[in-house]
Amino acid sequence: MDKLVIEGGVRLEGTIAISGAKNATLPLMASTLLAPGTHLFENVPHLMDVLTMRKLLHHMGARTDHEGEYLTVDTASVKLMEAPYELVKTMRASVLVLGPLVARFGYARVSLPGGCAIGARPINLHIKALEMLGAQVAIEHGYVVARAKELKGAVITFDQVTVTGTENVLMAASLAKGTTVLENAAREPEVVALADYLNLMGARISGAGTPEIVVEGVSELKPGSFRVIPDRIEAGTYLVAAGITGGHLILRNCTAGHMESVIRKLQLAGLIIRDLPDGLEVWGPERTIAVDAKTWPYPGFPTDMQAQFMALMTISEGVSVITEQIFENRFMHVPELNRLGANIQLDGRSAIVRGVRKLQGAPVMATDLRASASLVLAGLAALGKTEVSRVYHLDRGYERLDEKLRNVGARITRVKE
């Protein structure tokens, strides 16, 4: 098992290329099950979650190849409509194969995802929506088993905003008979990217990026080629890296329009952020200013940036209140940040962060993907040596993070524990 060793206190300076979005790549890979043949994706990151989705598609009979930034997926030979527990337990996004399998084959057997470190993310919304499209769904021995002779369009109102639920139903409805209307749909750029690729394949989807999406079902879809959008969470993480070290970074291949809520908060904290033709330029101040934040579905402040923003607030001047409104257990990084000298107190769904002048290096342990990033960021600012263990969480969603940080001056190395 790997860990990262960080000697903090270095101002970052240089250019970082942002990778393709993990949260866009995974649903795009699942969508290939809707159309037999070879699909080509560009700007695909090399991440553990992408590898897990490839293993899942291989299990079903698909063939994949990931060379450089190009990923091909050939689904002509898919014969096994099952997502086993061994794969689903390592990546909840595996549930995204449920909708496409039912739509194309009329059958799917997908393991229940099980527990999650950052809180419950039940798939009852997925199941309810598929039933409204005409599928018969049962829970059998820890698996969701769905059957449908034919899916038919329906008006589906989500009780709460769900990104993977919206994506699953988008894919299923693309091959359903008639019109499907999704109300209270997720608006994330990754949802829009999936809709764009489905339309390229021959689907008829309108309204993606708004709370109401309309899908006119078609009889078949065909493979295509598509470029994955940049990872807005990775870009946001590196903006914080500039802020927490008082550094100056240029981020290439990122879309400012996907990050407006994050950019606004960081600007309030004192960062100077400037648009570039293909990215962003950021300067961190000598010391940032405390700013409150509440997570909310897109276009609100993303829950996937909460831990990183909290790391920045630990050394900001003043007191900030960070409220988590998406997941009920997404403060597992707080005790670890406090080990580094932060002053954070929890009060229900809020964290009260009283800024300190300096953090102190210490051994810390990652508990989930974004918590890992927050500990690395804190380590960049801390005096002395910080060791972040269990960084396999980090490798799920950040491509070569330690290498990218080293290239802009960070003293960070990866070693075996």
Side-chain angles (χ1 to χ4, degrees):
M1 197 178 296
D2 291 354
K3 67 177 177 181
L4 293 178
V5 179
I6 306 164
E7 290 285 346
V10 177
R11 180 178 182 271
L12 302 186
E13 176 107 33
T15 300
I16 295 176
I18 302 303
S19 300
K22 172 182 84 82
N23 290 338
T25 299
L26 300 177
L28 288 168
M29 293 175 72
S31 76
T32 64
L33 295 166
L34 291 165
T38 301
H39 303 249
L40 174 63
F41 300 110
E42 184 182 355
N43 198 33
V44 176
H46 288 267
L47 302 169
M48 287 306 299
D49 276 8
V50 173
L51 180 59
T52 299
M53 185 63 87
R54 288 180 64 198
K55 289 178 180 177
L56 178 55
L57 292 172
H58 293 168
H59 176 79
M60 297 176 185
R63 293 191 295 270
T64 72
D65 183 64
H66 194 179
E67 290 290 334
E69 65 175 74
Y70 294 94
L71 171 70
T72 57
V73 182
D74 184 352
T75 53
S77 302
V78 170
K79 293 184 175 64
L80 186 62
M81 285 69 77
E82 178 189 78
Y85 175 68
E86 307 85 72
L87 293 173
V88 176
K89 71 179 180 180
T90 65
M91 186 185 70
R92 293 186 58 91
S94 304
V95 75
L96 287 165
V97 303
L98 182 61
L101 287 176
V102 176
R104 178 177 161 195
F105 298 101
Y107 177 81
R109 183 173 182 266
V110 177
S111 172
L112 287 167
C116 179
I118 63 171
R121 291 189 280 183
I123 65 167
N124 60 303
L125 298 175
H126 305 234
I127 293 171
K128 179 181 175 183
L130 287 174
E131 287 176 333
M132 293 182 72
L133 291 175
Q136 294 179 314
V137 185
I139 308 298
E140 300 176 2
H141 306 289
Y143 281 75
V144 178
V145 180
R147 298 175 174 86
K149 289 184 179 179
E150 182 182 62
L151 295 179
K152 295 182 179 179
V155 177
I156 297 169
T157 304
F158 290 110
D159 294 335
Q160 63 191 71
V161 176
T162 164
V163 176
T164 53
T166 298
E167 292 166 341
N168 236 334
V169 178
L170 261 186
M171 291 185 278
S174 293
L175 289 179
K177 188 175 182 180
T179 302
T180 299
V181 180
L182 280 67
E183 297 178 340
N184 198 28
R187 301 163 60 184
E188 273 74 0
E190 296 80 12
V191 172
V192 177
L194 175 62
D196 287 345
Y197 183 57
L198 292 170
N199 282 337
L200 190 149
M201 293 165 67
R204 297 172 63 189
I205 301 169
S206 59
T210 76
E212 182 175 286
I213 304 176
V214 179
V215 186
E216 300 281 350
V218 297
S219 59
E220 68 171 350
L221 298 172
K222 296 181 178 179
S225 301
F226 193 76
R227 181 174 176 84
V228 176
I229 62 174
D231 194 317
R232 60 194 172 96
I233 304 302
E234 184 195 17
T237 300
Y238 289 123
L239 288 178
V240 172
I244 208 165
T245 65
H248 171 218
L249 295 176
I250 293 173
L251 307 183
R252 300 291 185 196
N253 183 36
C254 62
T255 305
H258 293 169
M259 305 166 58
E260 290 179 353
S261 63
V262 172
I263 289 172
R264 281 198 299 271
K265 286 292 181 187
L266 293 176
Q267 287 173 329
L268 287 172
L271 278 70
I272 298 171
I273 301 173
R274 182 170 70 95
D275 282 358
L276 298 175
D278 67 338
L280 293 166
E281 187 170 14
V282 54
W283 292 264
E286 185 174 335
R287 191 180 186 195
T288 46
I289 302 163
V291 177
D292 295 344
K294 289 184 179 181
T295 64
W296 203 250
Y298 190 87
F301 190 85
T303 181
D304 279 355
M305 278 298 301
Q306 178 255 107
Q308 301 93 305
F309 188 74
M310 188 183 295
L312 180 64
M313 292 298 99
T314 64
I315 59 168
S316 295
E317 184 175 359
V319 179
S320 61
V321 179
I322 298 175
T323 305
E324 174 57 57
Q325 301 185 118
I326 307 298
F327 295 119
E328 73 277 9
N329 193 27
R330 204 166 200 178
F331 284 142
M332 296 179 72
H333 46 281
V334 168
E336 302 303 302
L337 288 172
N338 282 340
R339 281 179 53 78
L340 295 170
N343 183 351
I344 308 168
Q345 292 178 305
L346 293 180
D347 182 11
R349 285 192 168 230
S350 293
I352 297 94
V353 186
R354 292 175 172 84
V356 298
R357 289 294 304 184
K358 292 291 182 181
L359 298 175
Q360 305 287 331
V364 290
M365 183 176 68
T367 53
D368 61 72
L369 170 56
R370 306 307 173 185
S372 307
S374 76
L375 298 178
V376 171
L377 291 168
L380 293 174
L383 296 175
K385 183 169 72 174
T386 298
E387 295 184 1
V388 183
S389 61
R390 297 176 67 180
V391 294
Y392 58 84
H393 290 294
L394 198 73
D395 296 334
R396 286 186 46 228
Y398 288 92
E399 185 176 41
R400 306 189 320 276
L401 178 132
D402 48 320
E403 178 186 326
K404 289 183 179 183
L405 287 173
R406 263 196 311 276
N407 288 341
V408 292
R411 293 180 295 201
I412 179 170
T413 55
R414 180 181 289 253
V415 300
K416 295 290 182 185
E417 291 197 78

